[in-house]
Amino acid sequence: MTESELEESIASDPDWNRVPQDWYLKAQAVMPTPKKLVSVRLDADLLAWFKGLGRGYQTRMNAVLRSFMDEEKKRGAGGRSR
């Protein structure tokens, strides 16, 4: 793809229309928080399924757990045992 084709593609992207042209002037680098190394026992088929999705399976597992946590917090269930 040439430079002009790339610029044309970006300009025609409906999601890009809502991004201010000078967005990068206020951009800040955000460093991800360090992860903790833990040992967790998981069902073999669960682990195989996530691994079958390819590289980044641990990141996806983290995202699933985070999503669950966020929903529980919205319900006011944060930290309570069931």
Side-chain angles (χ1 to χ4, degrees):
M1 183 177 279
T2 67
E3 183 84 24
S4 61
E5 289 172 330
L6 178 60
E7 288 177 10
E8 186 178 315
S9 175
I10 292 170
S12 66
D13 185 337
D15 292 330
W16 185 251
N17 292 336
R18 294 186 296 265
V19 178
Q21 257 188 324
D22 62 348
W23 66 269
Y24 60 91
L25 296 175
K26 294 180 183 175
Q28 296 179 356
V30 178
M31 298 305 293
T33 57
K35 304 286 191 252
K36 295 273 187 182
L37 179 61
V38 297
S39 175
V40 179
R41 293 182 182 271
L42 302 171
D43 294 335
D45 61 333
L46 177 90
L47 184 58
W49 185 80
F50 271 98
K51 281 186 170 185
L53 297 174
R55 287 191 60 186
Y57 74 94
Q58 291 176 328
T59 300
R60 280 190 289 282
M61 291 173 80
N62 189 78
V64 168
L65 289 168
R66 175 165 296 285
S67 177
F68 179 79
M69 179 188 74
D70 291 344
E71 287 302 312
E72 289 294 293
K73 283 182 174 181
K74 287 179 189 174
R75 291 189 194 127
R80 287 191 306 216
S81 59
R82 295 181 175 226

